[in-house]
């Protein structure tokens, strides 16, 4: 029984991995389930067994992308003991990860279009925004943040980060755009420091 569960998990992970490559390269609309199943070496029926449809498979892929980015944000923030450096590091890690080719199209372009804005927002709140809110709550408790609504700040900052990632992704000089964004985010966050 345990081996069957392991095989099932391996099959699911393989399908997600292959689908992620297809969705990254071709986008949701032009990715074919037949090709994904073939490359993952499963039948189309097996694919439908694990994911009811193409949208269900895409949802699983997007979840894996968001979890990967959240892990990168946490890892970057953990490099410092300073709360402000943690916040800035996490914000910049999010932007840098979100604009990478294997994340950008799935998370920022097709995600809201395929799943709808409300579903995408709930997923974003459960991942990146959850981490951002948690960091801001710690900073509020520690007294290093001005007295502001944590909920409002979380949403405003998250929106700015998402929009920054979309902008950077379109720029021909990615490095320069990321440098400029770093300056803006850092300056913006400085405005919330309790003096």
């Amino acid at each position: 029984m345990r081996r069957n569960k392991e095989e099932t998990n391996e099959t699911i992970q393989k399908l997600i991995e292959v689908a992620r490559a297809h969705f990254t390269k071709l986008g949701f609309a032009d990715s074919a389930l037949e090709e994904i199943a073939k490359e993952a070496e499963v039948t189309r029926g097996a694919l439908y067994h694990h994911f009811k449809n193409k949208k269900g498979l895409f949802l699983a892929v997007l979840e894996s992308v968001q979890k990967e980015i959240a892990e990168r944000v946490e890892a970057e923030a953990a490099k410092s003991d300073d709360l402000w450096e943690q916040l800035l590091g996490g914000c910049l890690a999010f932007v840098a990860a979100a604009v990478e080719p294997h994340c950008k199209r799935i998370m920022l372009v097709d995600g809201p279009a395929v799943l709808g804005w409300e579903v995408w927002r709930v997923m974003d709140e459960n991942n990146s925004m959850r981490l951002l809110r948690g960091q801001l709550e710690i900073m509020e408790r520690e007294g290093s943040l001005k007295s502001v609504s944590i909920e409002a700040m979380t949403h405003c900052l998250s929106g700015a980060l998402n929009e920054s990632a979309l902008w950077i992704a379109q720029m021909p000089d990615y490095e320069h755009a990321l440098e400029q964004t770093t300056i803006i985010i850092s300056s913006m966050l400085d405005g919330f420091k309790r003096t």
Side-chain angles (χ1 to χ4, degrees):
M1 184 78 155
R2 182 178 172 140
R3 181 65 191 142
N4 287 343
K5 188 172 184 176
E6 288 174 10
E7 288 174 356
T8 298
N9 288 338
E10 287 173 13
T11 300
I12 290 170
Q13 288 311 308
K14 180 69 173 176
L15 282 165
I16 290 172
E17 178 184 314
V18 171
R20 183 172 178 173
H22 282 252
F23 292 143
T24 297
K25 183 178 180 184
L26 304 171
F28 177 82
D30 294 328
S31 294
L33 289 181
E34 297 83 11
E35 292 300 315
I36 292 170
K38 182 179 174 183
E39 191 176 325
E41 299 175 338
V42 300
T43 64
R44 192 167 172 192
L47 189 151
Y48 282 115
H49 172 73
H50 297 297
F51 308 98
K52 293 181 182 179
N53 51 33
K54 187 175 175 181
K55 194 172 179 180
L57 178 58
F58 182 81
L59 178 65
V61 169
L62 178 57
E63 285 175 343
S64 74
V65 168
Q66 287 189 323
K67 285 179 182 174
E68 177 187 305
I69 291 174
E71 288 168 5
R72 288 178 61 181
V73 166
E74 285 183 306
E76 190 61 35
K79 289 181 179 178
S80 176
D81 292 330
D82 181 84
L83 293 174
W84 286 100
E85 287 179 15
Q86 289 172 357
L87 179 61
L88 181 60
C91 289
L92 297 177
F94 170 83
V95 171
V99 298
E100 290 178 355
H102 63 279
C103 297
K104 172 181 63 177
R105 185 173 203 165
I106 293 167
M107 190 173 92
L108 299 175
V109 179
D110 283 348
V114 171
L115 300 175
W117 185 244
E118 288 304 314
V119 171
W120 185 88
R121 285 199 59 221
V122 167
M123 292 178 73
D124 190 42
E125 283 188 31
N126 291 335
N127 290 287
S128 299
M129 285 179 67
R130 174 184 55 82
L131 297 175
L132 179 57
R133 183 181 295 107
Q135 180 68 20
L136 293 172
E137 287 170 349
I138 290 168
M139 295 172 78
E140 181 182 50
R141 279 194 305 272
E142 295 293 320
S144 60
L145 190 65
K146 285 183 178 177
S147 181
V148 296
S149 164
I150 297 300
E151 199 62 24
M153 186 172 177
T154 299
H155 284 271
C156 289
L157 190 51
S158 177
L161 295 173
N162 286 329
E163 188 59 34
S164 294
L166 285 168
W167 176 71
I168 292 168
Q170 297 173 25
M171 300 307 291
D173 187 348
Y174 161 86
E175 293 297 329
H176 180 71
L178 188 56
E179 286 172 14
Q180 295 304 304
T181 300
T182 300
I183 292 167
I184 298 298
I185 292 172
S186 181
S187 297
M188 186 170 61
L189 292 178
D190 282 344
F192 293 99
K193 284 184 178 177
R194 185 185 295 272
T195 53

